[in-house]
Amino acid sequence: MQQEIVVMLKLKCDKCRSKAMKIATVADGVISVAWEGGGKNKVVMTGDGTDAATVTRRLRKKLGYADLVSVEQVK
């Protein structure tokens, strides 16, 4: 079953944005990654069997701040 994971980030520069994109795309089960929000501070991942807590923990470890906003089933 596919799910949509939304994680809010505090990004300081474009290098941090590209680092977050790399982390999100190599996560196990992720199919697509997109930016959302006014300042493009939310990363939206769509995937099958992706562990939201693990992805959020990896983002937090590398970037300093990451907050899991929502996990929804996609039909």
Side-chain angles (χ1 to χ4, degrees):
M1 210 183 286
Q2 284 193 354
Q3 58 188 1
E4 183 178 86
I5 302 166
V6 180
V7 180
M8 183 182 295
L9 304 169
K10 284 189 180 176
L11 301 171
K12 301 171 190 153
C13 59
D14 288 335
K15 186 176 179 181
C16 295
R17 191 177 314 277
S18 65
K19 188 185 280 190
M21 187 65 92
K22 281 183 185 178
I23 294 167
T25 53
V26 298
D28 192 33
V30 173
I31 297 169
S32 69
V33 179
W35 291 102
E36 228 179 53
K40 294 196 176 188
N41 59 350
K42 292 181 184 176
V43 64
V44 180
M45 296 169 275
T46 305
D48 189 22
T50 306
D51 187 16
T54 302
V55 174
T56 305
R57 183 172 42 90
R58 285 183 185 164
L59 288 167
R60 190 176 293 138
K61 184 177 180 181
K62 293 291 182 177
L63 300 172
Y65 177 84
D67 186 26
L68 182 61
V69 177
S70 68
V71 178
E72 300 174 355
Q73 298 297 328
V74 177
K75 294 183 180 182

